[in-house]
Amino acid sequence: RLPRIAVRIFPPHRRLARGPPCAVLWRAGPLAGQAPGRLRGRVDAYVAPLVRMRDFAGTVLVAQHGRILLSRQYGIPAAASPARTDSTARYQIGSVSKTMTAAAIELLVEEGKLALTDPVTKVLPGFVHGDSITGEMLLGHTSGLMDYYVWPEYAAGWNRPLTDSAFQAIIESKPLDFAPGTRSNYSNTGYRVLGTIVERVSGLPLA
C-alpha cells in the first residue's frame, strides 16, 4: 500500500462533470529507491478504480524529502470539462483556504496592524452591518452573514470570478441570518470578507 498522508477530493463526484479537478498528495515512504515504472504502476493501480467510478480526476504527486518522484495526471476528458489536468493546473482547495486566511489575520494582529475586536468598517468603510461585525465574529462564524452557498447568484455563476465590489453588493442585498455575535452558523461569506481584509491591510494578494 502507498503510505498516504492526505487525499482531498473536490468537488464531490456528483459535480465532477462540471467542476474543477482536484489534487491528491502522498508522502512516499520507502518508495524513493523504486524504479519509476514500478512506482507509476503502483500509483496507477491505486487511482484507476477511483477514476473509473468518477470519484477522482486531477494530479497525483508522490514526493520524499522535497524531491518529486512522480507527478501524473488522471483526467476528466477534455470534452467533459474546460479545466486542464496537467502539472501546471491550479486546483480549488476548498476550505483549506480558511486556515490560511485565519493565519494571515493572526499575523496582522501580531504585527499590530489589526485587532480582532475591530469592526469590519475600520478596514472596509461602508460595509453593510460592518459596524456591528468584528474580525473575531468572522473567524468564529458568529457574524450572521448569510452563507453564499445558498445565494441564487452563487449557484448561477459559481465558476466565474466575482470582484470584491460585486460580492459586497450581493451581501448588501441579503438580510443577516441573526444578530451578530448572538449565534454561530458556518459562513463561507465571512471568510471571503476576511480575505478582503487581509489584502487591504497587508497590501498583498491572498491568492
Side-chain angles (χ1 to χ4, degrees):
R1 295 182 60 183
L2 294 174
R4 180 179 58 187
I5 60 168
V7 177
R8 180 167 183 81
I9 297 178
F10 184 89
H13 68 277
R14 65 180 179 274
R15 287 175 53 194
L16 193 58
R18 67 167 183 159
C22 57
V24 172
L25 175 66
W26 273 286
R27 176 179 293 160
L31 300 178
Q34 294 189 17
R38 183 164 182 261
L39 177 57
R40 184 169 58 250
R42 291 184 67 185
V43 173
D44 286 351
Y46 186 91
V47 176
L50 300 174
V51 174
R52 283 197 302 270
M53 292 184 294
R54 294 180 62 80
D55 278 340
F56 172 73
T59 300
V60 171
L61 176 71
V62 181
Q64 185 175 47
H65 304 308
R67 176 172 161 248
I68 296 176
L69 306 178
L70 176 74
S71 179
R72 189 163 169 79
Q73 292 72 48
Y74 297 85
I76 301 172
S81 172
R84 185 177 67 252
T85 50
D86 61 29
S87 60
T88 64
R90 295 185 179 184
Y91 299 112
Q92 292 196 42
I93 60 173
S95 289
V96 174
S97 60
K98 289 186 176 66
T99 303
M100 312 296 185
T101 303
I105 289 288
E106 294 293 347
L107 284 173
L108 292 172
V109 170
E110 285 185 8
E111 294 171 359
K113 298 178 180 178
L114 199 63
L116 294 181
T117 54
D118 286 342
V120 171
T121 48
K122 184 171 181 178
V123 179
L124 304 177
F127 188 89
V128 64
H129 310 298
D131 287 334
S132 55
I133 297 174
T134 66
E136 189 171 30
M137 292 175 186
L138 294 172
L139 285 169
H141 301 282
T142 60
S143 68
L145 292 175
M146 184 185 294
D147 188 5
Y148 61 66
Y149 266 75
V150 302
W151 295 355
E153 297 89 343
Y154 176 79
W158 66 272
N159 60 344
R160 294 193 296 270
L162 195 63
T163 65
D164 287 339
S165 58
F167 188 78
Q168 185 168 335
I170 298 175
I171 292 176
E172 291 176 353
S173 70
K174 307 296 181 184
L176 289 174
D177 282 340
F178 49 84
T182 62
R183 286 174 47 196
S184 176
N185 191 38
Y186 193 85
S187 175
N188 290 286
T189 306
Y191 270 77
R192 168 69 189 259
V193 175
L194 283 170
T196 302
I197 290 173
V198 169
E199 293 187 335
R200 294 285 179 88
V201 174
S202 69
L204 299 171
L206 186 60

